[in-house]
Amino acid sequence: MASVGNISRRGLLGSAVAVATAAATGVIGAGTARAATQGAQGGHVSGGVTPLWREFAATPFTHAQVPFIGRAGYRGGSDLPRHRKVVANVLHYGAEPDGSADAAPAINRAIAAAGERGGGTVLIPAGTYRIDDIIRIGHSNVVVRGAGSGRTKLYATKNLTELIGVYGSRYGGDKSSWSWAGGLIWLCPEDRWTSLTDAIKAKAWPFEGWTGNKRDEWQTLTTVAAARRGDRSVTVESTKQLKRGGLVLLRLADDADHTLLEHMAGGGPGPEAYYWDDKTKLTSYVPYEWPVRITAVHGHEVTLERPLPLDVRPEWDPRLTTLATPLTGSGVEGLTLEAVETPQSLHLLDKGYNGVAFQCAYDCWADDITVRHVDNGFGLIGASACTLRRTRVEGRGSHHPYYCREGSHDNLIEDFTIAQRTVPAPAGTQLHGINVEGLSSYNVWSRGEMEMGTFDSHRGMPFANVRTDITVNNNGRHGGDASAGPLFGARFTHWNIRVTNGRAGLMRIDGLAPYSATVGVSEVTEFDQIDVPDFTGDLHTRLEAYGTPEAVWPPNLHDAQRALVR
């Protein structure tokens, strides 16, 4: 992290943002004004605060266009843990660091031993380790740590089709679900991984999220009274099965008139006029399932780690329920996963040379990880509150460098890179970019360098997601079939986006996304893939600082929101 003296970049920005917020809300003194002049970066002072930020700072949890994402990531945005005790070294389990033999059995034995001891760090010293199998992290509180992405390399020789089997789509056709699922490093709780792979082997193509292969593995803990988006506390019928620190699932079902889906789209005439009934893929994603940690229980009032992502209304049968026992407190750090170099597969026929997958994971992370020559880079599949930091996708080109799907929420991907491909794209392949789909919400991509790709939505009406402080060569294409419904729900925000090739598609979204904000995007024009809005009428969108990303203050929406709530 860059620093000035002993002040971190985030700390410096936080001070300046606090000043800007004080100015926006009218609470500012002479000393604070001096700090604004001295602490602001790039010549910006409090007087240059973007108008939309002033407005947001006054109502951060309920703003119509900009979502509150200040607590995205591990432990509500906390720093990643350090100094975990090393409990296993893969060399002691027989791994060879010269690539001469399959090291996967030794690495997995070391990981399992750490899990059986209740957690700890598994060390993979510098070297090259050939792996002919999946590296699986299935126990909570287990961290796999290399010596750095430039020093520890796992060289993967096989793909997921070879290792597990053919994985078809639950929606039919001849697609390979390895085009959007699974990883050669796979963080997933042991029982859930077994149920998933057993279903794949039986060709009973599963749902992959929080409540099992058929979405029926949950039990009601209590019902929930009406509440509003942004509330931190809810009133419940019973707290008998709830406790501080517990993870629960907020479950919201739709009604016959699809008012929940309309609410996700911002409500009003446009969503009300939209025809939902034939969007069978989209409606299969409902109920909306949002995992969250309980921070306090008092009488019938329960306080949550994050503000409510949506209203809670009786017609949606709101409940707190159980969920698949998630993986928590586990991570992977300081290594490169390089797949044997093969040509990129035809679109939707990936064999599964995939990078790192987080599935049914909460409060987990990746840090200083590079993946190379992969079909799909980093996956969030029914994963929430995870942080991916200092990650990089490079090599021969990939289908999804980053994907976020199957009801994934509150994740933070920061300081990320998608490098230019090293070989031309074969005919019949596609490149997406940073993907979000399937009712996934409140995810953040921050401080990115995208030498290729786009801000991909695969339909399925993701909502309230943020991309901020990113440079992008916008040459990818989005996906998603018509039955998955809208590209965007409400409160998508693109903030300080520097588009190097001038292409508008999926960057400037004020003509596409309802109740959205496009702030500080480079001047762009439409060419290549051009979309029309899914909803009719006034989209209630905001466009500010268009063509001048350098003028946006604060420059990073996530950092600013995080500073605002500290």
Side-chain angles (χ1 to χ4, degrees):
M1 180 178 292
S3 63
V4 179
N6 294 320
I7 304 174
S8 70
R9 171 184 176 182
R10 179 167 276 157
L12 181 61
L13 177 62
S15 298
V17 168
V19 170
T21 303
T25 56
V27 183
I28 188 166
T32 310
R34 283 193 297 273
T37 303
Q38 295 165 2
Q41 298 172 349
H44 291 285
V45 294
S46 60
V49 173
T50 301
L52 190 54
W53 172 257
R54 295 175 182 269
E55 184 182 295
F56 172 84
T59 57
F61 304 118
T62 57
H63 195 274
Q65 284 89 11
V66 178
F68 173 73
I69 42 79
R71 295 191 184 276
Y74 170 83
R75 288 286 180 180
S78 300
D79 291 337
L80 299 180
R82 290 289 179 261
H83 309 301
R84 294 214 176 198
K85 181 180 179 182
V86 174
V87 298
N89 184 319
V90 300
L91 299 183
H92 300 159
Y93 287 78
E96 297 291 343
D98 59 3
S100 62
D102 179 16
I107 295 172
N108 283 326
R109 283 197 301 270
I111 293 170
E116 290 163 5
R117 295 173 191 168
T121 295
V122 175
L123 189 64
I124 308 181
T128 296
Y129 299 81
R130 196 185 90 210
I131 57 170
D132 301 341
D133 203 351
I134 301 162
I135 302 304
R136 292 171 45 206
I137 302 175
H139 293 87
S140 291
N141 302 312
V142 172
V143 179
V144 174
R145 179 182 298 157
S149 59
R151 300 183 63 206
T152 295
K153 180 168 73 174
L154 307 185
Y155 181 70
T157 64
K158 296 184 179 180
N159 58 57
L160 294 170
T161 302
E162 295 173 285
L163 295 171
I164 295 175
V166 171
Y167 187 5
S169 169
R170 65 179 181 251
Y171 300 105
D174 60 355
K175 303 170 185 175
S176 167
S177 286
W178 298 129
S179 297
W180 56 78
L184 293 169
I185 299 175
W186 200 333
L187 293 89
C188 181
E190 188 73 24
D191 289 347
R192 191 72 185 97
W193 192 87
T194 299
S195 69
L196 284 164
T197 53
D198 284 350
I200 293 167
K201 292 171 184 176
K203 301 189 185 307
W205 314 131
F207 284 91
E208 298 155 286
W210 298 104
T211 51
N213 296 344
K214 298 181 180 180
R215 298 194 69 185
D216 58 358
E217 297 176 23
W218 56 274
Q219 294 181 347
T220 298
L221 298 172
T222 186
T223 56
V224 184
R228 300 297 300 273
R229 174 172 65 91
D231 289 350
R232 279 286 303 279
S233 296
V234 295
T235 300
V236 300
E237 181 182 21
S238 170
T239 58
K240 184 178 179 180
Q241 299 185 78
L242 306 178
K243 62 180 181 180
R244 182 172 180 260
L247 272 170
V248 295
L249 198 71
L250 174 65
R251 185 180 190 273
L252 299 177
D254 206 1
D255 58 16
D257 294 326
H258 300 296
T259 60
L260 176 62
L261 292 174
E262 291 173 3
H263 177 56
M264 291 175 180
E272 288 170 6
Y274 188 80
Y275 189 71
W276 303 95
D277 286 341
D278 64 348
K279 309 304 186 294
T280 52
K281 192 170 185 179
L282 172 62
T283 54
S284 77
Y285 298 147
V286 181
Y288 176 77
E289 296 173 336
W290 182 63
V292 66
R293 195 180 299 279
I294 294 172
T295 59
V297 179
H298 296 291
H300 286 270
E301 185 175 87
V302 176
T303 303
L304 306 174
E305 184 176 26
R306 293 176 174 85
L308 287 176
L310 295 165
D311 289 353
V312 172
R313 300 178 187 172
E315 56 265 36
W316 301 331
D317 189 24
R319 302 165 182 259
L320 297 181
T321 76
T322 60
L323 64 160
T325 302
L327 193 73
T328 61
S330 293
V332 56
E333 304 174 347
L335 58 83
T336 289
L337 172 67
E338 180 177 322
V340 59
E341 187 171 0
T342 59
Q344 185 178 345
S345 296
L346 295 178
H347 188 226
L348 300 178
L349 297 178
D350 293 332
K351 296 180 175 66
Y353 289 106
N354 294 349
V356 183
F358 292 80
Q359 188 153 11
C360 295
Y362 193 98
D363 283 339
C364 293
W365 70 89
D367 186 18
D368 184 26
I369 301 292
T370 295
V371 297
R372 184 178 298 130
H373 302 321
V374 293
D375 293 336
N376 301 282
F378 292 88
L380 296 158
I381 312 133
S384 291
C386 295
T387 293
L388 278 61
R389 178 173 171 265
R390 298 190 300 168
T391 57
R392 180 180 176 90
V393 181
E394 64 183 33
R396 50 88 157 153
S398 55
H399 180 194
H400 294 95
Y402 292 82
Y403 59 99
C404 178
R405 51 177 295 272
E406 205 80 11
S408 291
H409 315 289
D410 304 301
N411 297 292
L412 171 63
I413 301 94
E414 63 179 351
D415 302 306
F416 68 94
T417 301
I418 302 174
Q420 184 61 258
R421 63 191 312 138
T422 54
V423 296
T429 63
Q430 279 202 23
L431 163 68
H432 298 310
I434 52 175
N435 156 268
V436 61
E437 60 182 285
L439 302 186
S440 295
S441 63
Y442 293 85
N443 301 288
V444 183
W445 289 262
S446 170
R447 292 196 301 272
E449 296 289 335
M450 296 176 59
E451 296 173 8
M452 63 178 194
T454 194
F455 291 180
D456 172 37
S457 167
H458 260 48
R459 300 190 177 274
M461 203 169 67
F463 65 94
N465 298 285
V466 167
R467 286 88 172 232
T468 183
D469 194 6
I470 298 170
T471 300
V472 53
N473 176 31
N474 184 26
N475 63 357
R477 298 174 67 84
H478 76 74
D481 59 45
S483 68
L487 276 169
F488 303 101
R491 296 183 302 285
F492 254 83
T493 300
H494 291 173
W495 188 288
N496 187 8
I497 307 300
R498 303 167 294 273
V499 185
T500 61
N501 64 341
R503 178 180 169 222
L506 301 175
M507 303 290 123
R508 180 177 172 176
I509 56 174
D510 57 297
L512 288 176
Y515 290 91
S516 65
T518 302
V519 181
V521 172
S522 302
E523 187 171 346
V524 289
T525 57
E526 293 280 7
F527 60 88
D528 191 28
Q529 189 177 37
I530 298 174
D531 291 294
V532 297
D534 292 292
F535 303 106
T536 57
D538 187 353
L539 294 177
H540 304 280
T541 62
R542 302 286 287 272
L543 178 67
E544 286 190 7
Y546 175 57
T548 58
E550 68 281 356
V552 175
W553 185 261
N556 185 294
L557 181 62
H558 171 255
D559 286 350
Q561 289 199 22
R562 184 174 175 182
L564 183 65
V565 297
R566 284 204 161 192

